[in-house]
């Protein structure tokens, strides 16, 4: 029997801050948010969401329109707490209210660091609705590096990436297909930005682990979403910002049998026209697309998955 | 003072958060920021709110010294600051005014916004990195006075009106003989405000299921009271909810135009002469 595959949809594709400028209307101006659902029984509820940028509210509005009476069981994976990845959370939980049952998943940070829960609570303290007034049911789950969690018919794994502080990529595996989310990330061969997760971890060990994580993510998915915020000259000027380039994305994915690459975390300094031109010049050894808001895509079963 | 030349430019018009997209391409989808300016005040600006619209303002205008008046230190009113280049220019200066909130100082909110887990950008308040920023917390109703502020000198002046004591701040800004009253969501219309020629009125914070009944009625009541107190004033509605799409705002404009021809909606990119 042919399975229908996973369905994904970007609700936010832009890095750093949202943009309402006309030159960003093709790809979209919201900060990161990706919804993934596995259609079954005619339902397409996006059970799994990665990152809670401003686009999360657009997703909530769509959910309420298409499922006016449903309860929503949501697994919300948050890569890290930088504003562009969490600022959609307050309006999202307020809008869905008691109909939402949300499990927030993130990478487990060392005890002395801010947890994702702490960051979300701080954010909420500067919003009209206090944390105590939230009617959605929220629970938190922290996963160690490369630890997995099962949720309905998905398995989600974390993998720390090279970005200032503690940022995680995610591998989403289901019977119907696999997807890797690799954002935000800087090439670890050029600069080491992430903080160690373990007390005795040396920089060389950390560097190796981050490199292995990036390759592990790309090696297990036929669809990869990758941070291509920078052009090569941009990266040379601002390597410490923790973002990557198209060249690095192609290099990571071409060595890993990736079938489709989404360029993601678009830089608002560049117009969509520039981005379209950039992707048109890519030699086609795989399908390379720009992440675009509100355009669904499908992930079919892949015949050959990389080794465990 | 040529009062016909005082202008209000809308750079962001949303409360809660930005939500740009196909549903907000016409009215605009980024969080609040309003600029009051005139060719006669070329060396100073008054800016109401510092949402994401502030960045666009700073990119499109050469921004002189500014007084930034915040209605609160809520996230949607300050989130443009870390992304506005002026704050990292040691040659730029600004005065930020906000209501004093018990247990949440303005400095704590601004520094907290740039906590290392939340923001990768260095904190602008570090004098070795950023602009010269003065913070003033407003405790009482009355004139906003600070020796370094443009508001202390003609043609500018401004008067604070604390609506919910210690939480929410309305303000009346005067340029020459023109007065603009800014009432954000939650500001009581029954309070006695200074007379104004122009009223920038924020919509109430509501969820979609309650806006049509509660939010709209509250807005109409508020407008009626304000027009009673300021019969010649023009009203510009703003601080739209992020979920209010262009079609809904179009309908709102139609409904409110029937209520009073003196009402219009704020559109991002629009410059409105204050006369």
């Amino acid at each position: 029997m042919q399975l229908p595959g996973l369905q994904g949809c970007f609700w936010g594709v832009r890095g750093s801050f949202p943009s309402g400028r006309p030159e960003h209307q093709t790809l979209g101006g919201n900060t990161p948010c990706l919804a993934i659902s596995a259609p079954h029984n005619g339902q397409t509820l996006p059970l799994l969401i990665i990152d809670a940028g401003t686009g999360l509210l657009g997703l909530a509005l769509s959910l309420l329109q298409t499922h006016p009476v449903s309860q929503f069981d949501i697994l919300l994976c948050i890569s890290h707490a930088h504003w562009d990845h969490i600022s959609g959370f307050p309006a999202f939980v307020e809008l869905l209210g008691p109909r939402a049952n949300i499990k927030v998943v993130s990478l487990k940070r060392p005890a002395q660091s801010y947890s994702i829960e702490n960051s979300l609570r701080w954010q909420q303290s500067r919003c009209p609705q206090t944390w105590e007034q939230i009617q959605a049911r929220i629970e938190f789950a922290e996963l160690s590096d490369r630890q997995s969690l099962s949720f309905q018919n998905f398995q989600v794994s974390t993998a720390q990436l090279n970005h200032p502080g503690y940022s995680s990529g995610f591998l989403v595996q289901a019977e119907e297909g696999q997807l890797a989310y690799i954002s935000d990330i800087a090439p670890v061969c050029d600069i080491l930005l992430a903080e160690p997760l373990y007390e005795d971890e040396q920089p060389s060990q950390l560097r190796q682990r981050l490199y292995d994580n990036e390759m592990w993510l790309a090696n297990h998915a036929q669809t990869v979403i990758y941070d291509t915020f920078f052009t090569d000259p941009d990266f040379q000027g601002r390597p410490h910002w923790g973002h990557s380039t198209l060249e690095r994305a192609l290099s990571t994915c071409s060595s890993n049998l990736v079938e489709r690459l989404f360029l993601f975390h678009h830089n608002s300094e560049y117009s969509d026209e520039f981005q379209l031109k950039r992707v048109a010049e890519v030699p086609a050894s795989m399908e390379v697309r720009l992440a675009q808001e509100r355009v669904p895509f499908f992930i079919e079963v892949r015949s050959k998955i990389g080794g465990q | 003072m040529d009062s016909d030349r005082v202008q209000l430019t809308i750079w962001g018009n949303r409360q809660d958060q930005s939500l740009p997209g196909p549903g907000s391409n016409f009215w605009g989808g980024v969080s609040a920021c309003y600029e009051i300016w005139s060719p006669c005040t070329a060396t100073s600006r008054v800016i109401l709110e510092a949402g994401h619209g502030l960045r666009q303002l700073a990119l499109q205008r050469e921004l002189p010294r500014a007084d930034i008046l915040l209605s609160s230190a809520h996230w949607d009113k300050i989130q443009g600051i870390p992304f506005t280049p002026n704050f990292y220019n040691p040659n730029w200066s600004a005065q930020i005014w906000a209501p004093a909130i018990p247990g949440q100082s303005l400095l704590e909110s601004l520094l907290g916004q740039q906590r290392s887990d939340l923001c990768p950008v260095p904190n602008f308040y570090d004098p070795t990195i950023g602009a010269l920023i003065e913070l003033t917390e407003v405790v009482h109703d009355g004139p906003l006075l600070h020796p370094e502020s443009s508001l202390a000198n003609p043609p500018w002046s401004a008067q604070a009106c604390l609506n919910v004591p210690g939480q929410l701040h309305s303000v009346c800004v005067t340029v020459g003989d023109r007065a603009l009253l800014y009432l954000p969501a939650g500001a009581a219309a029954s309070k006695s405000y200074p007379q104004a020629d122009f009223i920038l009125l924020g919509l109430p914070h509501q969820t979609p299921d309650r806006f049509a009944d509660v939010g709209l009625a509250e807005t109409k009541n508020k407008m009626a009271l304000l027009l009673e107190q300021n019969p010649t004033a023009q009203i510009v509605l703003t601080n739209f909810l992020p979920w209010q799409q262009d079609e809904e705002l179009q309908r709102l404009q139609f409904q409110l135009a029937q209520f009073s021809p003196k009402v219009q909606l704020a559109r991002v990119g629009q410059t409105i002469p204050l006369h």
Side-chain angles (χ1 to χ4, degrees):
Chain A
M1 180 185 149
Q2 180 74 35
L3 289 166
L6 297 178
Q7 182 176 323
C9 187
F10 292 101
W11 291 90
V13 296
R14 210 151 287 280
S16 299
F17 49 84
S19 167
R21 287 158 58 186
E23 61 266 38
H24 299 135
Q25 286 176 4
T26 303
L27 299 177
N30 287 288
T31 59
C33 180
L34 168 68
I36 301 166
S37 59
H40 57 93
N41 302 330
Q43 295 289 314
T44 53
L45 280 174
L47 302 170
L48 195 151
I49 300 168
I50 301 181
D51 275 336
T54 60
L56 186 62
L57 179 58
L59 168 60
L61 293 170
S62 168
L63 277 176
L64 291 174
Q65 201 169 34
T66 51
H67 301 85
V69 293
S70 303
Q71 288 288 321
F72 304 109
D73 283 325
I74 291 164
L75 188 71
L76 175 58
C77 304
I78 296 189
S79 62
H80 62 304
H82 284 165
W83 284 123
D84 49 337
H85 295 258
I86 65 167
S87 56
F89 185 82
F92 179 74
V93 293
E94 183 175 13
L95 211 56
L96 296 188
R99 291 170 59 187
N101 189 12
I102 305 169
K103 180 180 268 194
V104 179
V105 175
S106 61
L107 180 70
K108 185 175 174 60
R109 286 129 169 87
Q112 71 276 16
S113 308
Y114 294 113
S115 65
I116 290 290
E117 179 175 357
N118 181 292
S119 305
L120 290 178
R121 282 177 179 270
W122 191 91
Q123 173 175 237
Q124 205 70 39
S125 74
R126 275 22 181 209
C127 291
Q129 188 183 44
T130 65
W131 189 267
E132 290 69 31
Q133 290 169 329
I134 292 175
Q135 291 185 295
R137 287 173 299 282
I138 302 171
E139 61 175 310
F140 290 88
E142 291 186 324
L143 303 183
S144 303
D145 195 36
R146 291 227 207 158
Q147 191 182 349
S148 300
L149 176 145
S150 292
F151 181 81
Q152 305 211 357
N153 51 348
F154 293 108
Q155 180 169 298
V156 179
S157 310
T158 55
Q160 191 187 10
L161 300 177
N162 186 35
H163 188 69
Y166 306 94
S167 182
S168 176
F170 294 101
L171 178 66
V172 179
Q173 294 173 296
E175 202 179 338
E176 299 93 335
Q178 296 79 26
L179 174 143
Y181 181 88
I182 309 178
S183 184
D184 300 3
I185 185 170
V188 73
C189 44
D190 295 302
I191 186 167
L192 180 61
L193 296 168
E195 299 290 334
L197 285 179
Y198 314 111
E199 210 171 282
D200 54 352
E201 190 172 36
Q202 299 303 307
S204 60
Q205 295 170 309
L206 173 59
R207 191 183 287 271
Q208 185 63 50
R209 183 168 61 79
L210 296 170
Y211 177 82
D212 291 346
N213 277 354
E214 180 182 347
M215 292 301 155
W216 178 78
L217 287 167
N219 196 34
H220 282 79
Q222 72 270 50
T223 296
V224 170
I225 294 158
Y226 201 98
D227 170 0
T228 53
F229 187 79
F230 281 144
T231 62
D232 210 35
D234 288 339
F235 174 72
Q236 301 305 330
R238 290 170 274 184
H240 56 289
W241 281 25
H243 297 293
S244 197
T245 64
L246 171 60
E247 291 73 18
R248 176 66 191 176
L250 292 171
S251 156
T252 297
C253 294
S254 62
S255 59
N256 281 294
L257 302 173
V258 171
E259 292 172 5
R260 180 166 46 184
L261 166 65
F262 279 104
L263 312 183
F264 184 64
H265 207 271
H266 306 315
N267 186 343
S268 290
E269 287 177 27
Y270 298 110
S271 67
D272 289 350
E273 195 184 346
F274 170 86
Q275 302 283 13
L276 289 161
K277 203 171 153 196
R278 189 161 78 134
V279 80
E281 290 165 359
V282 173
S285 61
M286 72 189 97
E287 182 187 350
V288 180
R289 291 168 63 176
L290 289 159
Q292 183 175 7
E293 288 176 18
R294 296 164 190 261
V295 178
F297 60 93
F298 294 89
I299 307 158
E300 306 299 337
V301 176
R302 177 180 165 183
S303 52
K304 186 180 172 186
I305 305 295
Q308 303 295 304
Chain B
M1 177 76 197
D2 183 355
S3 57
D4 285 350
R5 302 179 74 192
V6 181
Q7 317 273 342
L8 171 75
T9 299
I10 316 291
W11 295 97
N13 60 2
R14 299 282 169 167
Q15 58 175 293
D16 289 357
Q17 69 157 78
S18 300
L19 187 64
S24 61
N25 283 345
F26 182 79
W27 289 103
V30 297
S31 49
C33 182
Y34 313 98
E35 177 194 18
I36 304 170
W37 61 282
S38 145
C40 310
T41 61
T43 56
S44 58
R45 283 284 190 285
V46 169
I47 296 168
L48 305 172
E49 314 290 26
H52 281 130
L54 179 63
R55 176 181 159 86
Q56 205 52 33
L57 157 58
L59 292 182
Q60 290 198 13
R61 293 249 212 265
E62 197 173 324
L63 199 54
R65 179 187 160 76
D67 278 276
I68 300 173
L69 280 49
L70 306 176
S71 65
S72 74
H74 276 172
W75 166 227
D76 57 335
K77 306 299 191 293
I78 62 174
Q79 63 193 170
I81 288 176
F83 305 109
T84 299
N86 297 63
F87 283 86
Y88 303 91
N89 176 0
N91 297 318
W92 190 68
S93 63
Q95 179 95 22
I96 301 180
W97 306 79
I101 300 174
Q104 287 187 2
S105 75
L106 176 58
L107 179 60
E108 186 193 30
S109 295
L110 294 175
L111 292 182
Q113 178 176 223
Q114 293 191 254
R115 224 169 67 167
S116 62
D117 58 322
L118 300 168
C119 186
V121 181
N123 167 33
F124 72 87
Y125 207 64
D126 178 342
T128 62
I129 296 174
L132 180 61
I133 307 293
E134 293 272 353
L135 306 181
T136 305
E137 293 190 337
V138 181
V139 182
H140 304 294
D141 282 5
L144 298 179
L145 293 173
H146 186 283
E148 299 296 318
S149 164
S150 308
L151 297 174
N153 300 303
W156 296 108
S157 70
Q159 188 160 345
C161 320
L162 295 166
N163 295 103
V164 180
Q167 285 182 32
L168 182 70
H169 176 124
S170 294
V171 69
C172 185
V173 178
T174 303
V175 195
D177 61 355
R178 289 285 173 252
L180 179 142
L181 177 63
Y182 172 48
L183 299 177
S190 54
K191 188 179 164 86
S192 176
Y193 296 104
Q195 284 286 307
D197 309 288
F198 213 84
I199 298 168
L200 190 57
L201 179 63
L203 289 187
H205 180 82
Q206 286 289 352
T207 48
D209 54 327
R210 287 174 55 83
F211 185 81
D213 296 330
V214 182
L216 189 56
E218 185 185 327
T219 304
K220 284 181 177 173
N221 288 340
K222 202 175 271 190
M223 288 195 310
L225 272 169
L226 290 167
L227 287 171
E228 209 175 286
Q229 293 163 10
N230 303 272
T232 59
Q234 294 285 320
I235 295 182
V236 174
L237 271 187
T238 192
N239 292 0
F240 307 128
L241 284 309
W243 46 261
Q244 289 182 306
Q245 308 266 291
D246 284 343
E247 267 181 34
E248 182 175 341
L249 292 177
Q250 214 71 40
R251 276 198 303 275
L252 184 66
Q253 187 186 41
F254 180 72
Q255 287 171 308
L256 295 177
Q258 289 182 320
F259 176 81
S260 166
K262 292 179 177 178
V263 180
Q264 67 181 107
L265 269 57
R267 183 182 173 191
V268 171
Q270 183 184 23
T271 292
I272 302 169
L274 298 189
H275 57 75

